[in-house]
């Protein structure tokens, strides 16, 4: 038993220059834990509320209310509690807010506190965070297969193209280092192609190249060219992964691709993706249809579940009950795990465990608004969940997380890299 003696929230700033919540947990032995809340732009309707002050200052994005939650009721409840019992700490936080989406305390307040407790417990146990996670949740730690963005789009690029994330995975790599090397080659090959076309215009929110394309499919064509220019045969060592983030452009059941001035229903949307899956080496698709389009998600999984990884993000919002429902419905076959969607570490791990039990994949993920916090590198490795999505291959709020995995690799061993195992049920492994 080691008691918490202080909980302190402070305002810091994220990768978009917006205020966010940092929490310090101090223990009776002087050790401490610290974590920072990330923030999404394409947010699921059912995820924990990111509590903001509103009004005109800081574009309404102030976090004084969330800080008041941390420094008031949360600090009061957690002070004196045992840092070694994460579940009891998270339950104490939940006990302060019975609303389903943590609208009273704010998910930003709860996630920073819950993660700071996890860091504090690891420090107290004199363990690296990944090791503490593996031991606490009885998991086999392993270095994850990264999903890395090459072009950003959707809400992360002012809607310049409709699709949100054009990413690569390197399942054919034999080490995490090799993934980083290949990604460097593909990322800069993509930049060269954009420069040659006179379309190099900086980067989007998560560091991927700005998507100066005339159609969504042109981004896919360019990504394939970049993989080839990097000396790779698309679909062999390197495959494509897409986050469609379809909820962002769906209204009343109609999907509107603004860039192409094209509108379609759910079944036409799925047919369009069918064509892309046929024409490009795509191994994983996240949120192919709207978060409210259950029939569409079931239909998409029926058609492609035996060849693609189908990941629910907005559709499942890191909620164990929704994952269990998704398993029963046969909608998706993998879950994106974002701790701030759930609001606490314990709920996020429950979600992961529910997915794992059903043989689903799990991808621990960053948000588009990020910081120097590296908790997710440790969570993904410690849980041995198989995959990690962090954004692109530039900007320190992204690189800090890839680099942390390299440090973990030195302690854990390069041979724990999972390689293509998470894609074992896809065409990539079956070819
Ligand atoms: C997503 C994330 C990360 P956001 O949709 O998967 O790319 O975006 O944090 O804006 O929800
Ligand atoms: Mg997503």
């Amino acid at each position: 038993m080691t008691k918490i003696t202080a909980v302190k929230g402070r305002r810091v700033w994220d990768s978009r220059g917006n205020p966010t919540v940092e929490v310090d947990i101090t223990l009776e032995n002087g050790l401490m834990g610290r974590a920072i809340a990330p923030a999404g732009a394409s947010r699921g309707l059912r995820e924990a509320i990111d509590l903001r002050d509103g009004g005109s200052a800081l574009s309404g994005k102030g976090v004084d209310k969330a800080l008041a939650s941390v420094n008031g009721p949360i600090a009061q409840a957690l002070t004196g509690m045992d840092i070694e019992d994460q579940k009891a700490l998270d339950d104490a936080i939940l006990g302060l807010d019975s609303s389903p989406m943590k609208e009273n305390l704010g998910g930003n307040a709860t996630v920073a506190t819950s993660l700071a407790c996890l860091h504090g417990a690891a420090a107290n146990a004199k363990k690296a965070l990944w090791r503490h996670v593996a031991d606490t949740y009885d998991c086999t730690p392993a270095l994850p297969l990264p999903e890395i963005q090459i072009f950003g789009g959707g809400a992360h690029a002012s809607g310049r193209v409709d699709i949100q994330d054009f990413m690569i995975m390197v399942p054919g790599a034999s080490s995490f280092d090799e993934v980083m090397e290949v990604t460097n080659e593909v990322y800069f090959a993509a930049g060269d192609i954009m420069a040659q076309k006179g379309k190099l215009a900086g980067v989007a929110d998560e560091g991927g190249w700005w998507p100066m394309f005339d159609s969504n499919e042109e981004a896919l064509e360019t990504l394939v060219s970049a993989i080839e220019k990097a000396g790779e045969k698309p679909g062999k060592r390197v495959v494509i992964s897409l986050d469609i983030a379809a909820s962002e452009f769906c209204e009343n059941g109609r999907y509107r691709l603004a860039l192409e001035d094209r509108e379609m229903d759910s079944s036409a949307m799925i047919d369009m993706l069918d064509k892309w899956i046929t024409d490009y080496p795509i191994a994983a698709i996240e949120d192919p249809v709207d978060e409210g389009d259950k029939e569409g998600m079931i239909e998409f999984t029926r058609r492609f579940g035996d060849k693609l990884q189908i990941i629910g993000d907005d559709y499942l919002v890191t909620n164990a009950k929704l994952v269990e429902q998704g398993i029963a419905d046969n909608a998706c076959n993998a879950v994106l795990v974002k701790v701030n969607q759930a609001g606490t570490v314990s709920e996020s791990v429950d979600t992961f465990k529910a997915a794992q039990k059903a043989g689903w994949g799990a991808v621990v993920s960053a948000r588009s608004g990020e910081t120097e916090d590296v908790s997710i590198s440790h969570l993904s490795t410690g849980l041995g969940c198989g995959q990690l999505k962090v954004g692109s291959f530039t900007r320190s709020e992204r690189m800090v997380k890839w680099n942390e995995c390299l440090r973990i690799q030195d302690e854990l061993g390069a041979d724990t890299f999972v390689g293509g195992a998470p894609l074992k049920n896809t065409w990539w492994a079956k070819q």
Side-chain angles (χ1 to χ4, degrees):
M1 159 107 187
T2 306
K3 279 186 188 165
I4 294 173
T5 51
V7 177
K8 174 168 170 50
R10 74 171 62 77
R11 184 180 68 180
V12 295
W13 305 84
D14 73 10
S15 57
R16 285 193 271 248
N18 290 325
T20 187
V21 177
E22 175 172 271
V23 173
D24 285 357
I25 299 281
T26 309
L27 308 179
E28 57 183 330
N29 53 19
L31 293 170
M32 61 165 294
R34 171 176 292 161
I36 312 177
S42 69
R43 301 172 44 78
L45 278 176
R46 290 169 288 192
E47 65 176 89
I49 295 293
D50 188 32
L51 185 62
R52 302 284 173 171
D53 298 340
S56 56
L58 302 175
S59 313
K61 295 201 165 108
V63 289
D64 287 353
K65 288 181 185 165
L67 288 172
S69 300
V70 175
N71 294 324
I74 293 178
Q76 216 166 25
L78 300 196
T79 302
M81 284 187 73
D82 182 7
I83 193 66
E84 287 166 31
D85 193 345
Q86 182 77 33
K87 176 84 173 72
L89 293 165
D90 287 339
D91 282 348
I93 296 172
L94 296 182
L96 297 171
D97 189 345
S98 56
S99 69
M101 286 154 62
K102 301 173 178 63
E103 50 226 59
N104 302 327
L105 294 174
N108 39 356
T110 66
V111 74
T113 309
S114 181
L115 280 168
C117 288
L118 193 70
H119 280 269
N124 189 52
K126 302 199 171 39
K127 288 178 188 171
L129 186 61
W130 62 266
R131 173 75 72 193
H132 172 69
V133 168
D135 291 350
T136 305
Y137 298 108
D138 200 17
C139 297
T140 307
L143 284 164
L145 176 68
E147 280 194 282
I148 308 180
Q149 188 193 72
I150 304 299
F151 297 109
H156 305 160
S158 307
R160 181 62 188 73
V161 298
D162 305 282
I163 307 304
Q164 183 178 286
D165 291 315
F166 297 86
M167 298 172 286
I168 58 163
M169 293 189 278
V170 193
S174 49
S175 70
F176 196 91
D177 280 300
E178 191 181 322
V179 175
M180 299 291 101
E181 264 177 39
V182 172
T183 303
N184 167 290
E185 302 283 358
V186 174
Y187 183 82
F188 288 108
D192 287 349
I193 293 170
M194 298 304 273
Q196 275 160 13
K197 288 184 180 172
K199 290 181 164 185
L200 195 66
V203 298
D205 256 6
E206 297 189 347
W209 299 113
W210 188 260
M212 290 280 281
F213 298 113
D214 296 329
S215 70
N216 289 282
E217 196 167 344
E218 194 193 340
L220 272 169
E221 284 161 10
T222 311
L223 186 49
V224 168
S225 303
I227 294 168
E228 285 168 344
K229 191 170 164 38
E232 301 287 331
K233 190 168 180 300
K236 285 290 171 198
R237 190 160 60 152
V238 183
V239 297
I240 292 176
S241 172
L242 298 177
D243 181 0
I244 305 298
S247 308
E248 291 295 309
F249 54 87
C250 179
E251 221 173 298
N252 303 323
R254 304 287 296 171
Y255 295 84
R256 185 172 151 65
L257 298 181
L259 179 62
E260 299 163 28
D261 198 14
R262 200 172 149 196
E263 202 182 291
M264 55 196 128
D265 63 11
S266 179
S267 105
M269 178 72 196
I270 293 173
D271 287 342
M272 181 190 80
L273 295 176
D274 187 354
K275 183 174 177 307
W276 290 0
I277 293 158
T278 308
D279 294 348
Y280 303 96
I282 298 167
I285 294 194
E286 182 180 323
D287 287 343
V289 293
D290 180 60
E291 61 199 310
D293 188 356
K294 179 170 161 174
E295 286 69 34
M297 200 63 92
I298 292 170
E299 174 64 3
F300 189 80
T301 307
R302 188 188 67 75
R303 279 172 66 173
F304 307 111
D306 62 347
K307 59 170 96 145
L308 284 190
Q309 189 175 50
I310 302 168
I311 307 165
D313 170 16
D314 294 347
Y315 189 66
L316 300 171
V317 291
T318 316
N319 180 306
K321 286 210 174 72
L322 292 178
V323 166
E324 273 153 18
Q325 188 61 51
I327 291 162
D329 294 340
N330 211 1
C332 308
N333 57 29
V335 61
L336 205 75
V337 176
K338 292 167 163 169
V339 186
N340 81 325
Q341 277 184 333
T344 62
V345 171
S346 300
E347 290 166 285
S348 306
V349 174
D350 286 350
T351 302
F352 161 65
K353 294 261 176 176
Q356 189 190 40
K357 203 165 126 202
W360 275 28
V363 186
V364 167
S365 172
R367 301 307 303 248
S368 47
E370 270 294 337
T371 66
E372 65 271 32
D373 188 290
V374 292
S375 307
I376 59 168
S377 307
H378 289 265
L379 260 186
S380 160
T381 307
L383 294 173
C385 78
Q387 287 166 275
L388 177 62
K389 178 185 177 191
V390 154
S392 192
F393 206 65
T394 58
R395 303 185 21 154
S396 288
E397 81 277 7
R398 313 290 151 189
M399 302 315 291
V400 74
K401 295 173 180 61
W402 302 130
N403 289 340
E404 188 72 358
C405 287
L406 294 169
R407 294 182 196 104
I408 297 172
Q409 171 182 264
D410 281 349
E411 296 171 59
L412 181 58
D415 57 347
T416 65
F417 173 58
V418 300
L423 302 185
K424 63 178 184 298
N425 296 325
T426 70
W427 61 265
W428 177 81
K430 293 175 189 164
Q431 68 185 331

